[in-house]
Amino acid sequence: MNKDISIIVILFKTPLEKIESLKKYKNFNLIIYEQNVKFSSKKKIKNILGFDFKYFSSNENIGLSRAVNFLIDKAKTRYCLMTEPDITISEKSIINLKKGISKNKNFLLSGPVLIKKKIKDNKKSFNFKLSKNLDVSCVLFEVKIIKKFKFYDEDFFFYWEDIDLIKRINNSSYKMIIVQNSYAIHDASHSSISNISVNILRNKNYKFGELMFDYKYKKLRKIKIIRQIFQNLLFFFFNVFLFNKKKYLCNVGYIFGIFKFIIYLLTKKTNIKN
């Protein structure tokens, strides 16, 4: 039992077959946060997994950033791995991530090598390399240090929080590493059920995050907001005319995201360039 490592996982409309993948964390302290649920799924998940874990839930979608930060606060172990249901990583690879981050107090995040299919690891010696850009969907960190640094900026709901985190790390004295004999397979975009409402939500928060990122780093101009409203309205009607459902739903999501950001601005004292 690896009692010094917690595994934190956020669930949002996650298919049951993806819950099966969490069985590999039976030797760790697993902590789950399930969003947008009317009734707790803890019993169902426990029946699938067959071992104890910590479970939290909300009947609304509070956003990835808030949910992750919440679980980090609940982690009582020295180390923590943040991952997703559609990521496959072995116990050995997780231990190697811990080994990597313990090499230097300035190593803030350690990540695995992302691969497309399972491989046989023949590497005998431990090795890692510094990186300026990690895939934050699967990273290990020391809880005490990451709390001081602040993991996610909760102004980002979903998307762009990773880009912001990486930028803040690169602007600090901390470093990120990729552990060369730690491997993970990411079955991207399959951890949630995909339907119209979910796709609109994704596009809405992608656009909101894009504008938020520019705003926080003082790159946002008012003309961009106005231009994108009219562009997406125009493209929406054009794609409806062409019966391109995927694209016009994307336009709908973007428009919602822009207006969500405008509402955010109206609640803040802003200083955006004309």
Side-chain angles (χ1 to χ4, degrees):
M1 182 75 175
N2 297 286
K3 294 184 178 180
D4 62 341
I5 301 177
S6 292
I7 310 292
I8 60 173
V9 180
I10 309 298
L11 304 180
F12 174 70
K13 299 184 182 297
T14 304
L16 286 178
E17 59 266 24
K18 291 298 178 181
I19 302 297
E20 291 274 351
S21 69
L22 302 183
K23 286 182 176 180
K24 58 184 171 288
Y25 302 126
K26 64 180 180 179
N27 292 326
F28 299 91
N29 295 282
L30 177 62
I31 314 176
I32 294 172
Y33 192 108
E34 188 174 19
Q35 300 201 71
N36 200 220
V37 289
K38 293 182 179 180
F39 304 101
S40 170
S41 301
K42 185 176 182 180
K43 287 185 179 180
K44 288 182 179 180
I45 296 174
K46 189 170 183 180
N47 287 337
I48 294 172
L49 299 183
F51 61 87
D52 291 329
F53 55 90
K54 290 183 181 179
Y55 175 88
F56 302 92
S57 66
S58 60
N59 57 13
E60 61 178 333
N61 184 358
I62 67 170
L64 180 67
S65 300
R66 283 181 61 193
V68 169
N69 288 346
F70 176 85
L71 289 192
I72 291 174
D73 283 338
K74 297 300 179 182
K76 305 302 180 185
T77 53
R78 181 173 180 181
Y79 299 99
C80 185
L81 176 78
M82 184 188 80
T83 187
E84 298 178 2
D86 56 4
I87 288 178
T88 301
I89 184 169
S90 68
E91 185 171 341
K92 178 182 176 183
S93 287
I94 295 173
I95 299 304
N96 285 338
L97 290 179
K98 183 184 79 170
K99 186 177 179 181
I101 207 163
S102 63
K103 292 289 183 180
N104 190 307
K105 64 180 182 179
N106 286 328
F107 290 168
L108 190 67
L109 301 179
S110 65
V113 177
L114 293 177
I115 55 178
K116 294 184 178 180
K117 61 181 181 178
K118 191 174 181 180
I119 63 172
K120 188 174 182 180
D121 180 14
N122 295 318
K123 293 182 180 179
K124 295 182 180 180
S125 59
F126 176 84
N127 194 16
F128 65 87
K129 66 177 182 179
L130 294 175
S131 175
K132 291 286 187 180
N133 189 24
L134 280 184
D135 186 327
V136 191
S137 60
C138 183
V139 288
L140 185 138
F141 47 82
E142 189 167 347
V143 175
K144 185 178 180 180
I145 295 175
I146 207 73
K147 283 182 178 180
K148 288 181 179 178
F149 181 81
K150 184 182 178 183
F151 196 74
Y152 279 148
D153 182 336
E154 295 183 7
D155 281 338
F156 294 99
F157 189 85
F158 185 55
Y159 293 122
W160 291 87
E161 67 281 346
D162 291 351
I163 299 172
D164 171 70
L165 173 62
I166 289 171
K167 186 175 182 66
R168 286 189 287 114
I169 294 172
N170 287 328
N171 288 339
S172 73
S173 60
Y174 288 108
K175 306 294 182 183
M176 299 177 288
I177 62 169
I178 296 177
V179 178
Q180 299 296 83
N181 58 345
S182 177
Y183 304 97
I185 301 172
H186 192 180
D187 183 19
S189 300
H190 289 84
S191 60
S192 299
I193 295 172
S194 183
N195 55 38
I196 291 176
S197 62
V198 171
N199 288 332
I200 289 177
L201 181 68
R202 285 172 177 162
N203 288 311
K204 169 186 172 182
N205 287 300
Y206 178 87
K207 181 56 63 179
F208 173 80
E210 175 192 331
L211 297 173
M212 178 65 73
F213 185 85
D214 286 348
Y215 170 67
K216 284 183 174 287
Y217 290 95
K218 304 185 186 308
K219 296 179 180 179
L220 184 62
R221 301 174 68 89
K222 290 180 181 178
I223 189 64
K224 178 176 181 177
I225 301 173
I226 298 169
R227 183 179 67 246
Q228 291 206 1
I229 291 174
F230 285 102
Q231 280 181 342
N232 281 284
L233 282 171
L234 178 64
F235 289 146
F236 168 76
F237 290 111
F238 180 73
N239 288 317
V240 167
F241 178 76
L242 293 178
F243 299 102
N244 193 326
K245 184 177 179 180
K246 183 178 180 180
K247 287 189 175 180
Y248 73 66
L249 288 177
C250 179
N251 297 135
V252 171
Y254 283 175
I255 292 168
F256 285 167
I258 294 167
F259 280 102
K260 178 182 177 180
F261 180 72
I262 291 172
I263 292 171
Y264 171 87
L265 290 183
L266 293 175
T267 64
K268 301 283 183 181
K269 289 184 178 180
T270 61
N271 185 21
I272 303 178
K273 296 178 181 179
N274 289 313

